[in-house]
């Protein structure tokens, strides 16, 4: 791999080769790439770290949604995020998509359905639900997503659910309920069922189906598969954005709206998805899905830092429960 820029025009007769001992002070230019490369290789084979970062970025998406209010329409944000990721990734990995097209072609409709349901519809229903349900209900339902993943893997792939894995899911759900109810689980009984709750439940089921289906996706690198899915997600998001513009009137995003779209494109939409895909490849959809329980915990912590909310004792207790539950679910691999 050669870097673009002016590095290769510096002193040294070996044009086209990587910098050697005669091209300046070698320890600095050689050690930095090697260190970065080692870190990336380590990260690429550390699924708990990648999945934790994915949860953090997805939690940041919830905070970004707060900053987006009044600055960019929700469905326009869904469209822009997948258009943006497509623009970023296709020049890099579009060639790999074409090289694997013979593998993709027989399953193209299944891949399109995965993109439409897991990327577009989940986000569209998520944003729609936010307008007509409480944060307590959304937190509980989103935290329950790993349960749907485990159930889907069991029903459609005959994947066994070990005792420790089940206990881990229950423990993490307790943490999610604790943070979603602000430390008072009795509040669950006072919540009514409304349209938003139904939309959020459907969204979680759709995303769980996407996660389960990842284990049978076409045989190709995760980044190549993700690159293929992004333009499909953008195309399926277009009707939502057009419908929003027709019903509520089209509005151009403000500067803050564009900045939110940029963040959403880079982190929750691009890096988080790539990390999650790689994590599923390494440890499977059921175990990877448990990490989704970290999303509401990180969202609460980010709200404290960025929205000046108070960090209460139940935040710490919920975080301990979620991390403990994930540890239990990971321990199942050593006992099976």
């Amino acid at each position: 791999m050669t870097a673009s820029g002016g590095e290769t025009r510096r002193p040294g007769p070996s044009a086209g080769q990587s910098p050697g001992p005669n091209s300046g002070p070698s320890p600095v230019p050689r050690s930095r790439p090697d260190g970065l490369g080692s870190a990336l290789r380590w990260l690429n084979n550390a699924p708990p770290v990648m999945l934790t970062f994915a949860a953090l970025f997805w939690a940041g998406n919830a905070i970004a949604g707060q900053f987006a209010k009044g600055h960019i329409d929700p469905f326009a944000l869904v469209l822009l995020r997948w258009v943006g990721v497509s623009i970023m990734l296709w020049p890099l990995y579009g060639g790999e998509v074409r090289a694997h097209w013979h593998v993709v072609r027989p399953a193209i409709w299944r891949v399109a359905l995965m993109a439409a349901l897991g990327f577009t519809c989940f986000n569209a229903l998520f944003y729609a639900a936010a307008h007509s349900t409480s944060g307590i209900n959304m937190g509980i339902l989103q935290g329950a997503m790993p349960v749907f993943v485990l159930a889907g893997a069991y029903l459609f792939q005959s994947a066994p659910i070990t005792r420790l894995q089940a206990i881990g899911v229950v423990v993490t759900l307790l943490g999610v309920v604790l943070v979603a109810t602000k430390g008072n689980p009795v509040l669950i009984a006072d919540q009514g069922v409304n349209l938003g709750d139904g939309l959020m439940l459907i969204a979680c089921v759709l995303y769980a189906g996407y996660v389960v289906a990842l284990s049978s996706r076409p045989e190709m690198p995760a980044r190549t598969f993700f690159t293929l899915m992004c333009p499909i997600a953008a195309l399926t998001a277009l009707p939502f954005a057009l419908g929003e513009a027709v019903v509520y009137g089209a509005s151009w995003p403000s500067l803050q709206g564009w900045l939110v779209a940029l963040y959403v494109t880079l982190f929750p939409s691009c890096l988080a998805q790539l990390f999650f895909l790689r994590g599923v490849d390494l440890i499977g959809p059921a175990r990877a899905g448990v990490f989704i329980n970290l999303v509401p915990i990180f969202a609460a912590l980010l709200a404290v830092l960025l929205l000046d909310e108070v960090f209460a004792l139940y935040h710490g207790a919920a975080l301990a429960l979620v991390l403990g539950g994930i540890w239990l679910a990971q321990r199942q691999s050593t006992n099976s």
Side-chain angles (χ1 to χ4, degrees), residues 213-287:
L214 284 175
S215 62
S216 60
R217 62 179 170 82
E219 190 68 29
M220 60 199 311
R223 66 186 186 188
T224 310
F225 180 70
F226 181 59
T227 301
L228 169 67
M229 299 252 288
C230 288
I232 299 175
L235 287 174
T236 54
L238 184 58
F240 289 101
L242 291 177
E244 181 181 59
V246 169
V247 174
Y248 299 105
S251 60
W252 194 254
S254 67
L255 175 60
Q256 182 169 321
W258 284 111
L259 291 176
V260 169
L262 179 62
Y263 167 81
V264 167
T265 299
L266 288 175
F267 293 96
S269 304
C270 186
L271 290 178
Q273 293 289 345
L274 289 173
F275 287 172
F276 190 73
L277 283 168
R278 177 62 176 164
V280 168
D281 282 347
L282 292 176
I283 65 174
R287 293 172 61 200

Side-chain angles (χ1 to χ4, degrees), residues 1-96:
M1 252 182 245
T2 57
S4 59
E7 288 287 336
T8 55
R9 293 186 291 131
R10 295 195 134 192
S14 53
Q17 299 179 359
S18 59
N22 298 325
S23 57
S26 59
V28 174
R30 288 179 63 86
S31 61
R32 287 180 182 172
D34 290 343
L36 178 60
S38 298
L40 291 177
R41 286 191 295 271
W42 173 82
L43 178 63
N44 193 50
N45 292 283
V49 177
M50 285 189 294
L51 292 167
T52 300
F53 271 117
L56 177 62
F57 296 154
W58 280 325
N61 185 44
I63 304 302
Q66 298 296 319
F67 289 111
K69 290 181 179 179
H71 295 277
I72 183 171
D73 295 330
F75 294 119
L77 182 58
V78 175
L79 173 63
L80 286 175
R81 67 190 290 180
W82 297 120
V83 170
V85 178
S86 299
I87 292 173
M88 287 193 310
L89 294 185
W90 197 264
L92 297 174
Y93 307 123
E96 296 183 9

